[in-house]
Amino acid sequence: MIVLYTFGPYFGLPDGSPFVMKVMLLLKFAGLPFTEDRGGYRKAPKGKLPYINDAGEIIADSTFIRRHIEKKYGFDYDAGLSAEQKAIGWALERMCEDHLYFALADARWMDDANFAKGPAQFFAAIPMPLRPLMRAAIRRKVGKTLQSQGLGRHSRSEIGDLAEHDIEALATLLGDTPYLFGEQPCGADATMFAFVAGALTPVFETSIRTAAESHANLIAYRDRLMALYFPSNITLDK
Ligand SMILES: N[C@@H](CCC(=O)N[C@@H](CS)C(=O)NCC(=O)O)C(=O)O
């Protein structure tokens, strides 16, 4: 059976990482059973989660995991989509994964109150006196990543402004349909769900969350997919 390396549930979500949630959904959409291993971070081939072990084959990165599933299991996540819909799906994924992700990371890691309620909890298992040192070192590393990526050079309200446009775009693209492109989920729905659920988690006080909460269709989408694909998680997120 496929082993998915994860962080574990945090913030009322099936996993603390949107990329891990994306892969959980991709596996579920494809009907592939998997087990979770929460101890794989140190051996992560690209230094990040998620990655999978599929019968000895290690594949890192959520998008390459999707490619692997499509190739090995012949599952077409975008069956029936037009070329234009596929292009929109790809653009949406890149916006979430390479832009909105960093805005969410800034809100969670750089704001002191959000950090204390959120990412600081990741270090709970590290023994004292190492815990605060590790916590500060990793927080500094995230800050440097945000600086080199570029978003971290803006003020929090400027980052919020950019991220609110992402949220607006997601709400507009979803419209009134159950999934991004109609009645059935496509590959980009896995990313869309992961980021909408992450933005909506009530743990963090952010303008991104306020923007997401102003769109009833995004809330309904999060609730519908959570109920369908993560039924044991439902009560946690309310
Ligand atoms: N492009 C990667 C991104 C994965 C990623 O950024 N994972 C983050 C958690 S959300 C991580 O493992 N960060 C740990 C680190 O950078 O040390 C994917 O699609 O899987």
Side-chain angles (χ1 to χ4, degrees), residues 7 17 19 41 47-50 61-62 101 141:
F7 290 101
S17 160
F19 297 99
Y41 178 68
K48 288 177 188 281
L49 298 183
D61 189 286
S62 63
Y101 170 69
K141 184 182 144 191

